[in-house]
Amino acid sequence: MTLAEMILASHSHREKVAPGEFLDVDIDMVLSNDITGPIAIKEFTKIGLERVFDPQKVVMVPDHFTPNKDIASAEQAKMVREFCNQQGCHYFEVGRVGIEHVLLHEQGLVLPGEVIIGADSHTCTYGALGAFATGMGSTDIATAMATGKIWMKVPPTIRFNYHGTPGRWVSGKDYILYAIGDIGVDGALYSVMEFGGEAIDNLSLEGRFTMANMAIEAGAKAGLFYADQKTVEYASSRTERSFTVYKPDPCAEYARVIEYDVSDIEPQVAFPHLPSNTRPVSQAGNIKIDQSVIGSCTNGRIEDLRVAASVMEGKEVDHRVRCIIIPGSQDVYLQALKEGLIETFIRSGCSVSTPTCGPCLGGHMGILASGEKAIATTNRNFVGRMGSPKSEVYLSNPAVAAASALTGRITSPENL
Amino acid sequence: MISGRVYKYGDNVDTDAIIPARYLNVSDPAELAVHCMEDIDVNFAGKVQAGDIIMAGANFGCGSSREHAPLCISAAGVSCVIACTFARIFFRNAINIGLALLECPEAVENTSDGDRLEVELETGNIRNLSTGKIFEARPYPEFMRGIIKSGGLIQYTRQQLSARQE
């Protein structure tokens, strides 16, 4: 069995499962946020139960429009807060909250071998830990909050093997953008992407979170990694709970096996308006930018900020550019502060924000006007994603976003 | 039997196109419906009539997990969405809230924006009243028909829970 099949089998009390089978799956963690939580709460109420199935396995993270950007958002956040208070489930208030997909693994709430569902499409991020994690809608989440179970169809698995040694500025973001550019935004529709190969063995956990995070941008249900020693150490240091590490069978059946040599991969830039619209940064041409956003559930971790700061150290952001840095969690923020990264950003002329999804989805903290262009380390560049439907978003890794902030046009850090 | 005018779009219509995130500070379907499809078809909410049909290419509903997307399509009066393929979260969400979806690449290929269609959901039969052509959509898997028959996932779950108690 593939990694996904093993985890799904273990959570549906079966010896073996195969693609296409329908399962009733036990859930280890049920997640929602300030946008999807309110609908989930309304639907949960309709089921007619007073209590969630297990408050220790339900978490709500108000991260999208927080700190509350307007009265309507404040009402939604309030509804989530009150529900969590009443149910006793996990909840993180502003001041402690981070972006859900940076926070949950930091807090040890999601572990290798577990099944996690979340009313947020980027729930697939936890696949980096060797967990089966997938996004669903609020009604599915309401059902899982009530029963602790959800139906799933076993997806086929596509295996991606990354070989070779990457160039200096090439990161997990580039590995995944390259794959999405190759297979397209529906190239893994209804499937699992399973990542491996020696370049993945050598990739940091942060890089793996970035890759798993964007599996959804290829239409995938999940993006999974084997939990190696690095992962086990990371997870063990954050929880007392025990967990199981699954390793895919050598004879596992894959729908497709795709091989990449990372020494062929340059830093990638996804042009508007699809994450699959990728080009190597050297072929980006002369694209002037108005804004650079470094953060998000894709690239808001400490390694991302270190890379961005190393590019910016001692240099100044172009005077026509707004550069917005958003640490993904309070822990990331504090660590960046200790390492002097925040000072580097501020001396370079960046704005540093409290953790929030904010501009990534056009919520707040950096909305684009018509005709404006942004480079962002986020995950989507759809029409209107960061503001005006007449604005444009270009996706890249943190090094390219930092270099572009300095020059005012899309730039490789190689060329500074 | 459903009958309505077709509003046709291309491939990869994402959930930000269906309902931009800037409007997600509310979750009332009627309020959301006013902005349905706004960023790719600014007048959609003003012109769509009850019963009308959205038609699109591959991967309709890709992107975010927001259930607001099928909710606002449904609240705008759209009776069903016909596409070549659907993104998986959108597909689940639509089934769960009772918005009918049909996968039928042949119908998409042979239908123009503005055509009128008649759709029989039980059989998946699609008749293009403007051209006279008839198409057959892929049937839902048995398991999902159970959810649809119950009237959505919440009703289905209630039934399952009460069966468990008995």
Side-chain angles (χ1 to χ4, degrees):
Chain A
M1 288 188 285
T2 67
L3 197 43
E5 288 158 12
M6 285 179 152
I7 300 172
L8 291 178
S10 73
H11 283 69
S12 55
H13 316 283
R14 298 199 189 197
E15 290 274 304
K16 202 169 162 43
V17 300
E21 279 180 62
F22 285 95
L23 306 175
D24 212 12
V25 180
D26 295 337
I27 305 300
D28 297 303
M29 189 58 75
V30 185
L31 163 72
S32 58
N33 57 49
D34 52 318
I35 286 181
T36 59
I39 296 182
I41 293 166
K42 281 182 206 161
E43 295 303 310
F44 174 81
T45 309
K46 284 184 200 163
I47 295 173
L49 293 180
E50 286 197 0
R51 313 300 299 176
V52 298
F53 81 107
D54 180 351
Q56 288 309 304
K57 293 184 175 181
V58 176
V59 57
M60 292 194 176
V61 182
D63 59 354
H64 277 59
F65 292 165
T66 55
N68 302 330
K69 80 182 176 94
D70 52 27
I71 296 169
S73 306
E75 295 294 347
Q76 297 211 119
K78 183 178 163 194
M79 187 173 172
V80 166
R81 180 184 306 114
E82 287 176 352
F83 181 81
C84 290
N85 282 344
Q86 179 215 342
Q87 294 288 334
C89 52
H90 298 284
Y91 172 79
F92 296 87
E93 192 52 274
V94 168
R96 295 185 173 83
V97 78
I99 299 172
E100 51 196 324
H101 310 310
V102 178
L103 186 70
L104 258 56
H105 46 84
E106 249 179 19
Q107 296 291 327
L109 290 175
V110 290
L111 298 172
E114 294 189 336
V115 175
I116 300 115
I117 64 168
D120 189 280
S121 60
H122 293 108
T123 302
C124 51
T125 307
Y126 318 120
L129 296 171
F132 188 96
T134 190
M136 292 187 182
S138 299
T139 298
D140 276 318
I141 290 315
T143 302
M145 289 199 301
T147 63
K149 289 172 180 290
I150 203 74
W151 70 268
M152 285 194 205
K153 188 174 162 185
V154 181
T157 299
I158 306 173
R159 172 83 185 188
F160 293 78
N161 290 318
Y162 289 76
H163 307 284
T165 308
R168 180 168 175 209
W169 300 108
V170 175
S171 66
K173 183 64 165 284
D174 305 297
Y175 293 180
I176 190 67
L177 281 175
Y178 187 83
I180 297 166
D182 181 34
I183 66 172
V185 287
D186 60 354
L189 196 60
Y190 295 100
S191 304
V192 165
M193 300 169 88
E194 187 183 288
F195 302 103
E198 69 270 17
I200 298 299
D201 298 340
N202 295 329
L203 186 66
S204 65
L205 221 48
E206 283 97 336
R208 296 180 200 174
F209 281 119
T210 302
M211 290 182 73
N213 175 272
M214 288 192 74
I216 179 69
E217 295 349 309
K221 185 164 185 158
L224 270 72
F225 292 75
Y226 164 63
D228 61 7
Q229 192 55 34
K230 261 189 271 196
T231 310
V232 169
E233 280 168 20
Y234 177 93
S236 313
S237 70
R238 283 167 168 78
T239 185
E240 301 281 296
R241 292 191 292 138
S242 62
F243 54 86
T244 311
V245 171
Y246 296 93
K247 190 168 194 175
D249 290 328
C251 57
E253 280 183 38
Y254 295 100
R256 213 177 146 193
V257 179
I258 297 175
E259 313 279 345
Y260 297 127
D261 185 339
V262 298
S263 54
D264 294 339
I265 300 179
E266 257 190 68
Q268 302 285 302
V269 178
F271 275 52
H273 289 287
L274 283 177
S276 58
N277 199 7
T278 53
R279 295 184 202 177
V281 65
S282 63
Q283 290 167 37
N286 185 17
I287 310 280
K288 278 193 180 175
I289 55 154
D290 303 283
Q291 181 163 299
S292 173
V293 175
I294 300 173
S296 82
C297 60
T298 315
N299 279 121
R301 298 183 184 80
I302 191 65
E303 180 186 85
D304 302 312
L305 299 189
R306 282 180 191 140
V307 170
S310 77
V311 172
M312 288 191 166
E313 177 77 59
K315 302 190 180 75
E316 246 187 85
V317 169
D318 184 280
H319 282 260
R320 295 171 301 104
V321 173
R322 292 119 37 197
C323 185
I324 302 166
I325 311 279
I326 311 179
S329 71
Q330 294 291 69
D331 280 5
V332 172
Y333 201 154
L334 206 53
Q335 185 62 29
L337 203 60
K338 281 182 194 158
E339 293 182 21
L341 311 181
I342 301 297
E343 182 170 348
T344 299
F345 292 133
I346 291 175
R347 288 197 184 281
S348 298
C350 302
S351 153
V352 182
S353 160
T354 195
T356 179
C357 303
C360 171
L361 77 163
H364 60 154
M365 287 301 297
I367 303 306
L368 300 174
S370 59
E372 289 191 331
K373 292 180 169 67
I375 192 157
T377 65
T378 55
N379 41 50
R380 290 192 177 131
N381 54 355
F382 299 150
V383 172
R385 177 75 181 176
M386 201 175 273
S388 166
K390 292 187 180 127
S391 63
E392 291 184 348
V393 177
Y394 296 74
L395 306 176
S396 78
N397 72 24
V400 172
S404 306
L406 299 177
T407 62
R409 59 194 69 235
I410 294 180
T411 302
S412 167
E414 290 280 353
N415 298 336
L416 287 177
Chain B
M1 181 80 78
I2 287 167
S3 172
R5 178 203 191 277
V6 169
Y7 289 89
K8 192 170 175 183
Y9 304 98
D11 292 338
N12 303 316
V13 173
D14 59 78
T15 51
D16 281 283
I18 298 169
I19 180 70
R22 59 184 176 275
Y23 300 122
L24 301 186
N25 55 1
V26 296
S27 49
D28 174 44
E31 283 182 63
L32 295 166
V34 178
H35 303 291
C36 188
M37 310 302 279
E38 184 174 289
D39 283 1
I40 57 166
D41 186 356
V42 74
N43 299 316
F44 178 81
K47 61 194 179 184
V48 68
Q49 303 282 320
D52 283 351
I53 293 161
I54 288 178
M55 186 173 260
N59 202 24
F60 184 86
C62 63
S64 118
S65 70
R66 66 189 69 152
E67 202 161 293
H68 314 66
L71 282 172
C72 88
I73 289 175
S74 188
V78 172
S79 59
C80 73
V81 184
I82 304 173
C84 296
T85 55
F86 291 94
R88 55 160 284 279
I89 305 179
F90 180 87
F91 187 84
R92 282 187 81 111
N93 287 346
I95 300 293
N96 287 347
I97 64 133
L99 172 66
L101 305 183
L102 295 169
E103 282 193 349
C104 189
E106 301 76 27
V108 174
E109 203 175 305
N110 292 289
T111 302
S112 306
D113 185 68
D115 283 0
R116 293 199 72 82
L117 298 185
E118 232 174 46
V119 180
E120 204 175 56
L121 290 177
E122 295 72 30
T123 59
N125 285 336
I126 302 166
R127 180 193 291 270
N128 188 323
L129 299 174
S130 306
T131 65
K133 287 184 185 158
I134 295 171
F135 312 97
E136 210 169 299
R138 285 176 213 158
Y140 289 112
E142 181 68 40
F143 178 78
M144 271 176 224
R145 263 180 274 168
I147 296 176
I148 296 165
K149 219 173 145 191
S150 306
L153 185 66
I154 294 299
Q155 287 302 326
Y156 180 82
T157 306
R158 286 177 65 127
Q159 287 167 13
Q160 299 279 313
L161 285 172
S162 64
R164 219 183 280 174
Q165 275 164 5
E166 283 160 21

